[in-house]
Amino acid sequence: MIKTTEKLVFESPKSLKAGMKFPFCAGCDHGVAIRLVAEVLDEMNLKEKTIAVASIGCSVMLYDYLDTDCIEAPHGRALAAATGVKRTNKDKFVLTYQGDGDFASIGLAESLHAALRGEKVSAICINNTTYGMTGGQAGPTTIMGQITKTSPNGRNEEYYGYPIKIAEQIALCDGTAYSARCSLDSIANIKKTKEAIRKTFEVQLQGLGFGFVEILSTCPTNWHLTPQESHERVRNELFQVYPLGVYKEV
Amino acid sequence: MTKKLTTGNHAIAQAAINAGCDGYFGYPITPQSEIGEFMSKKMQELERAYVCAESEIAAINMVLGACSTGAKAMTSSSSCAVALMQESLSYIAADELPVVLVSVMRAGPGLGYIYPSQGDYNQATIGGGNGDYKIIVLAPSTVQECIDLTYKSFYLAQKYRNPTILLADGLLAQMMEPVEFNEYPYPEIPIEDWALTGAKNRASRAIYSLEPKEDRLVERINTLFNKYKQIEENEVEFEEYQTDNADLIVTCFGSIARNVKSAINQCREKGLKVGMLRPITLYPFPTKKYQELAKTTKKFLTIEMNMGQMVRDVRLAVNGQVPVEFFGKSVGQWLSVEDIIAEIERFNG
Amino acid sequence: MTEKNVVIAGFGGQGILLAGEVLANALMLDEKNVTWYPCYGAEMRGGTVNCEIVTSEDEVSSVNKQDADFIIALNQISFDKFLPKLKAGGWVIANSSLVKEIKSRIDINYLFAPITALANELGEIRISNIISLGLLAKISKLTSVEALHNALDNVLPEHRKNLLALNLKALEMGFNFSLAPVAAC
């Protein structure tokens, strides 16, 4: 009998539900982002004290992936719900996971005011420049010229106005302790994203204020691109409009 | 116990604090802004949660978040701003969260005005949220009842894990009368088996309303309606006044009952056989009581400070057994005792 | 029916709502049923304020009535606005420092007193409201100076308790105001 030594080189984070499979479209970055969140929760030993807030959009079934307590908020209201959770449970770790439509369109008031109040919560916003779940319509982050189902001729100034720079706006709020924009287009950027997520968690734990990270992500299905082309689009088109970087760190 | 002269708004706020409210989240609107003002001071003194929300939409969702952790939390608002909360009330009902909403009615529709009104009976009992759901609705008629029913709102919300509205009006909220602040009389309801408290030494929990599988959605709604049946069987509350041998029963809710009662007293002195039935729980509605009284009385007269909202529920309950008439006025100064007596005499004649 | 109601009206800043609260507290201390109802919100922005106190041996029948047994008018606008609301045989107490002594109705009782001037005699113009309560106690017999004084103790916040002595003087000044001019007309 031959003895073999098995060495575990890769495992699923404990903060992800065991045996869970992401239902996202091929090439979508949601799965990577949620995995990063779970990894940081594991590494910071936060799973047992976490109450996550899910939003409306492709991110809605967060509770099917994260193995933490979780509440679903109505559309756009994740940071209001998170405020309610945190204010009545100061010892808990509270995070929201939202899309750009939820965070910066319907929920812009809730998002900005949570930042202005300096809520001790961590917010993660996935920016894929479109309303993904409803089938790829123009959203608040759709870039100029981008063709979507509701901008068939491309986003123009006359009909649509301009996209919002979320990380920059959040950085302007005095209650914000950390605001960054990251991307998942490369291994190096995935690593940076993970560090940004860690930072948003740390500022909450240290009681410094609102922690925020905007993650540029792909939507191959609605962009009508392959996964690889999608990441190329992130690099070639989105980086110019949405530069990566840390916009505020106290 | 010594009596204290107190406004309806302050009575509600102090009662909420006595009931153990852990968090108040609100946005000002006349005629209930004094609740938030009172809370901003007292909650901070007690080191409980208080947030000046950026909107009523944010406020109700803060309450949703707080209540999902088993905290006792509330908001208060009025009419056009309660309208903003309807989406979340539907979520809260689906999520089975013990939310308390104090709704102080002013005049509508639209911005209307700050005059007192009872025009939000439909808004509270039927609601404008989507889907099949019910909200427990309690309607105080005196400042003392503002206290007693605030206590009850917290208790019923917790007991049934169901959103509960305390439906007051501008007159009741702004007026003062002597009251006694008795202690919160209800038992505490355990939250350990459902609340989000962090997945420590137990499986993780989620509270959500999304249910993509048809059979499971049907099951969830059935579960809700089994609960509503329990509420309807166990929690109906009403005030019955001089209904014995009454040929005419005047029925009303909230603070207009004071005027109606005085009218009944004066009519009785004149020898008219008149009584009053006042639902205290607007949901669950005292349907059986109306059916019972319909067997002995000849007529019902529904009096409301609106253009006729509760009268629909009265008619549904009475179901044609005897005539049901309506007398009301949209907003402003409450119908006087004299107006009510005149209407009783006209209708009785 | 033993029910009586009082409307107190004047400018914002004259302590109208406070006077009403003191009166309602006094009636509560007298173990009567009582309600206090203010004009509220935007209605106050025009500069006039009023509140209504209803007291009864039985339950108060209604909080906001169409007419009144007693009216205290501390300025001209309030006098003009509420005089038609006074019941026949009712009393109006008017601040003659600010209200013209014109008796447009013959079916009611008038008490014109220079309330602002009296307050100035006490060195505190803001105490007009309390002087008017002394006048009301005298002509209405709804409550006593003693009950009103105890009521002030209920109503004044801790940091204003030093004003209790002055308030008692104001109540007595109102209560002892000579009614002779009224009897003469």
Side-chain angles (χ1 to χ4, degrees):
Chain A
M1 198 172 140
I2 305 163
K3 265 192 168 180
T4 57
T5 307
E6 286 186 346
K7 190 183 170 201
L8 190 65
V9 291
F10 189 80
E11 66 177 331
S12 188
K14 288 191 175 54
S15 296
L16 282 185
K17 286 204 165 141
M20 176 277 302
K21 283 180 184 158
F22 286 120
F24 299 115
C25 304
C28 170
D29 281 340
H30 260 305
V32 179
I34 293 169
R35 188 192 158 92
L36 292 178
V37 169
E39 284 180 6
V40 182
L41 288 175
D42 276 11
E43 289 163 21
M44 295 177 73
N45 198 22
L46 291 170
K47 179 179 178 305
E48 292 183 342
K49 62 186 281 194
T50 294
I51 298 173
V53 183
S55 60
I56 308 300
C58 290
S59 54
V60 64
M61 286 187 282
L62 187 69
Y63 44 81
D64 276 354
Y65 324 132
L66 284 189
D67 195 18
T68 67
D69 279 7
C70 187
I71 171 90
E72 159 210 84
H75 200 9
R77 319 303 168 209
L79 279 160
T83 298
V85 171
K86 186 70 179 190
R87 291 288 187 112
T88 49
N89 297 270
K90 289 185 178 155
D91 58 329
K92 294 295 185 292
F93 178 77
V94 181
L95 72 92
T96 70
Y97 184 87
Q98 307 169 251
D100 52 301
D102 194 270
F103 187 98
S105 190
I106 188 169
L108 184 60
E110 284 76 6
S111 303
L112 263 182
H113 282 280
L116 289 165
R117 286 192 303 267
E119 294 296 338
K120 296 353 175 240
V121 300
S122 303
I124 293 157
C125 173
I126 302 299
N127 176 0
N128 60 10
T129 73
T130 187
Y131 290 138
M133 196 170 73
T134 49
Q137 297 82 6
T141 51
T142 296
I143 62 171
M144 300 311 283
Q146 185 177 337
I147 291 172
T148 71
K149 284 207 177 127
T150 53
S151 56
N153 305 315
R155 182 173 192 154
N156 58 50
E157 175 196 325
E158 187 186 358
Y159 279 84
Y160 307 88
Y162 299 94
I164 182 169
K165 314 280 173 70
I166 309 173
E168 290 89 330
Q169 295 285 354
I170 294 297
L172 289 173
C173 300
D174 289 345
T176 299
Y178 182 79
S179 179
R181 182 180 294 115
C182 307
S183 159
L184 301 170
D185 67 296
S186 66
I187 302 295
N189 278 338
I190 288 172
K191 283 184 174 168
K192 281 187 190 167
T193 302
K194 186 173 173 181
E195 286 318 299
I197 292 171
R198 188 191 309 281
K199 196 72 199 172
T200 64
F201 289 9
E202 280 171 2
V203 294
Q204 176 181 168
L205 294 171
Q206 291 161 6
L208 295 175
F210 186 70
F212 176 70
V213 58
E214 173 187 350
I215 303 176
L216 297 181
S217 305
T218 52
C219 188
T221 301
N222 289 311
W223 291 358
H224 308 291
L225 298 173
T226 66
Q228 196 180 350
E229 288 166 347
S230 295
H231 279 138
E232 280 162 16
R233 175 178 184 250
V234 170
R235 278 189 292 274
N236 298 336
E237 296 181 30
L238 300 192
F239 282 7
Q240 292 167 36
V241 186
Y242 300 121
L244 303 187
V246 176
Y247 289 90
K248 186 169 185 188
E249 187 170 4
V250 296
Chain B
M1 197 180 289
T2 52
K3 290 202 168 187
K4 193 171 183 299
L5 195 72
T6 306
T7 64
N9 278 334
H10 285 175
I12 289 165
Q14 183 62 54
I17 283 169
N18 295 356
C21 180
D22 298 300
Y24 175 90
F25 306 89
Y27 187 96
I29 177 171
T30 309
Q32 64 76 51
S33 299
E34 292 85 354
I35 297 179
E37 290 166 10
F38 186 94
M39 288 306 226
S40 69
K41 185 162 184 285
K42 297 284 171 164
M43 295 297 266
Q44 290 187 53
E45 276 171 19
L46 294 165
E47 296 186 354
R48 300 187 195 173
Y50 168 83
V51 179
C52 288
E54 61 271 28
S55 69
E56 290 84 357
I57 297 175
I60 190 74
N61 286 294
M62 289 173 189
V63 178
L64 175 151
C67 286
S68 75
T69 70
K72 285 186 187 174
M74 70 176 290
T75 184
S76 59
S77 192
S78 181
S79 301
C80 41
V82 172
L84 286 172
M85 301 182 179
Q86 296 299 323
E87 178 203 29
S88 293
L89 288 172
S90 171
Y91 274 77
I92 287 161
D95 290 348
E96 298 194 77
L97 295 176
V99 165
V100 173
L101 162 61
V102 175
S103 169
V104 178
M105 295 177 279
R106 55 185 261 166
L111 192 52
Y113 198 57
I114 58 175
Y115 300 127
S117 159
Q118 295 187 320
D120 299 328
Y121 177 94
N122 286 346
Q123 185 190 56
T125 59
I126 302 171
N130 56 306
D132 276 320
Y133 70 96
K134 305 260 186 200
I135 294 177
I136 299 169
V137 183
L138 307 177
S141 84
T142 62
V143 178
Q144 184 64 49
E145 273 193 357
C146 286
I147 298 170
D148 300 342
L149 295 181
T150 297
Y151 288 160
K152 195 161 192 185
S153 297
F154 275 96
Y155 173 61
L156 292 180
Q158 299 278 326
K159 181 178 176 187
Y160 292 99
R161 283 173 53 200
N162 203 74
T164 301
I165 292 178
L166 183 81
L167 187 67
D169 58 65
L171 179 131
L172 191 52
Q174 293 291 325
M175 68 174 281
M176 286 203 273
E177 62 184 328
V179 293
E180 285 178 13
F181 282 99
N182 48 328
E183 279 176 28
Y184 182 67
Y186 299 105
E188 293 299 330
I189 308 288
I191 51 117
E192 288 75 18
D193 60 343
W194 65 269
L196 305 182
T197 53
K200 192 174 184 182
N201 304 321
R202 63 160 171 79
S204 59
R205 285 176 186 155
I207 294 177
Y208 55 91
S209 61
L210 177 70
E211 199 58 85
K213 294 198 176 92
E214 183 184 323
D215 54 340
R216 287 199 53 191
L217 186 52
V218 169
E219 191 188 312
R220 276 184 70 155
I221 295 167
N222 286 342
T223 305
L224 284 181
F225 274 75
N226 286 336
K227 177 174 83 174
Y228 300 151
K229 206 175 155 200
Q230 294 287 311
I231 293 170
E232 286 161 21
E233 277 169 12
N234 299 325
E235 304 301 343
V236 170
E237 192 180 343
F238 52 82
E239 181 192 6
E240 204 176 351
Y241 186 70
Q242 304 268 19
T243 55
D244 286 349
N245 307 320
D247 291 334
L248 171 65
I249 291 175
V250 182
T251 183
C252 60
F253 73 97
S255 68
I256 191 71
R258 181 192 302 273
N259 304 29
V260 169
K261 245 177 163 173
S262 305
I264 302 277
N265 287 340
Q266 290 185 42
C267 287
R268 282 272 172 184
E269 279 170 24
K270 292 181 185 181
L272 294 174
K273 290 182 183 172
V274 192
M276 181 188 83
L277 178 64
R278 172 173 70 96
I280 293 171
T281 51
L282 303 185
Y283 177 80
F285 195 70
T287 303
K288 282 182 191 159
K289 189 70 207 175
Y290 281 95
Q291 288 168 348
E292 192 184 295
L293 289 171
K295 288 178 190 144
T296 57
T297 194
K298 290 176 184 156
K299 297 170 189 174
F300 285 94
L301 174 62
T302 307
I303 293 186
E304 302 175 66
M305 286 305 302
N306 58 43
M307 298 305 279
Q309 299 192 11
M310 186 179 83
V311 66
R312 258 166 57 133
D313 282 338
V314 177
R315 287 192 174 125
L316 284 169
V318 172
N319 199 17
Q321 291 178 80
V322 292
V324 176
E325 286 293 321
F326 171 74
F327 179 55
K329 173 186 171 190
S330 58
V331 298
Q333 190 167 37
W334 262 203
L335 289 166
S336 71
V337 176
E338 294 74 25
D339 291 340
I340 295 169
I341 292 171
E343 184 64 15
I344 289 172
E345 286 176 336
R346 189 191 66 77
F347 187 49
N348 217 29
Chain C
M1 264 301 259
T2 55
E3 192 162 278
K4 296 286 176 196
N5 68 330
V6 182
V7 171
I8 308 177
F11 286 125
Q14 282 184 310
I16 300 301
L17 300 182
L18 179 76
E21 201 179 333
V22 171
L23 175 60
N25 259 283
L27 292 161
M28 177 182 78
L29 294 173
D30 290 339
E31 294 185 352
K32 285 179 182 151
N33 290 307
V34 62
T35 60
W36 170 97
Y37 182 62
C39 64
Y40 62 85
E43 203 180 324
M44 292 161 73
R45 288 177 202 139
T48 62
V49 181
N50 69 80
C51 62
E52 177 168 348
I53 294 89
V54 186
T55 181
S56 176
E57 302 288 339
D58 306 315
E59 266 189 74
V60 168
S61 72
S62 68
V63 171
N64 185 15
K65 293 175 181 295
Q66 285 163 339
D67 50 20
D69 295 295
F70 300 95
I71 286 169
I72 298 175
L74 291 189
N75 67 2
Q76 187 71 50
I77 303 168
S78 304
F79 183 82
D80 296 342
K81 181 176 173 186
F82 287 102
L83 205 65
K85 194 176 159 162
L86 192 60
K87 281 183 196 168
W91 277 89
V92 59
I93 297 169
N95 176 12
S96 57
S97 305
L98 299 173
V99 177
K100 285 182 193 139
E101 293 191 36
I102 297 171
K103 298 175 181 176
S104 55
R105 282 178 63 178
I106 55 161
D107 59 339
I108 58 171
N109 301 296
Y110 295 85
L111 169 51
F112 287 103
I115 299 173
T116 306
L118 292 172
N120 277 330
E121 274 179 39
L122 288 179
E124 178 53 89
I125 192 171
R126 287 178 299 177
I127 210 146
S128 313
N129 57 345
I130 304 302
I131 295 173
S132 75
L133 290 182
L135 290 161
L136 180 76
K138 178 71 165 282
I139 54 112
S140 73
K141 300 183 177 61
L142 284 176
T143 185
S144 61
V145 167
E146 189 193 356
L148 287 165
H149 187 234
N150 291 336
L152 271 159
D153 196 29
N154 269 4
V155 172
L156 289 180
E158 279 308 319
H159 66 283
R160 292 266 184 263
K161 295 276 193 212
N162 57 328
L163 297 175
L164 269 173
L166 179 66
N167 276 281
L168 181 59
K169 263 192 200 169
L171 284 171
E172 283 168 347
M173 180 181 242
F175 193 83
N176 296 327
F177 182 77
S178 169
L179 295 184
V182 183
C185 64

